[in-house]
């Protein structure tokens, strides 16, 4: 089972350790937990059935691009039927 942990943002905690070294450690720690959260999201979405994914407006091949991509940038699946429809116009 995956557990979610709150990522500390701001505050002084680790940032006060040895000046800049503590700040680098704090940023690395935050990036580590962000990567883990994204990986857990991908695993969770892959565990859903196709009908649930369709209700969410996703297909299985779009999961990685939705989680790891930039906002508004989503790689869609290639669909042969769409190409045939477009060619007939």
């Amino acid at each position: 089972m995956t557990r979610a942990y709150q990522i500390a943002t701001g505050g002084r905690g680790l940032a006060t350790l040895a000046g800049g070294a503590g700040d680098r450690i704090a940023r690395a720690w935050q990036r580590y937990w962000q990567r883990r959260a994204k990986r857990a999201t991908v695993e969770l979405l892959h565990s859903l059935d196709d009908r649930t994914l369709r209700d969410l407006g996703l297909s299985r091949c779009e999961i990685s691009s939705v989680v790891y991509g930039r906002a508004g940038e989503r790689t869609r699946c290639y669909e042969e039927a769409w190409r045939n429809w477009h060619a007939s116009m």
Side-chain angles (χ1 to χ4, degrees), residues 5-88:
Y5 295 95
Q6 183 175 357
I7 299 172
T9 56
R12 300 185 119 175
L14 289 175
T16 59
L17 290 174
D23 193 34
R24 286 191 302 270
I25 292 170
R27 281 194 310 264
W29 186 250
Q30 185 176 13
R31 284 192 309 267
Y32 168 76
W33 283 108
Q34 287 172 347
R35 275 193 319 270
R36 295 234 355 183
K38 286 181 179 183
R39 191 168 49 225
T41 302
V42 169
E43 289 176 13
L44 175 70
L45 288 172
H46 273 295
S47 71
L48 298 175
D49 60 282
D50 290 333
R51 183 176 181 192
T52 305
L53 286 173
R54 197 176 17 208
D55 287 345
L56 293 172
L58 292 172
S59 65
R60 217 162 272 293
C61 65
E62 296 175 309
I63 291 173
S64 293
S65 66
V66 168
V67 175
Y68 292 111
R70 287 180 261 175
E73 196 173 276
R74 182 161 141 185
T75 305
R76 302 244 181 216
C77 298
Y78 173 76
E79 295 182 19
E80 184 69 27
W82 179 84
R83 187 177 73 77
N84 292 337
W85 173 81
H86 186 63
S88 68

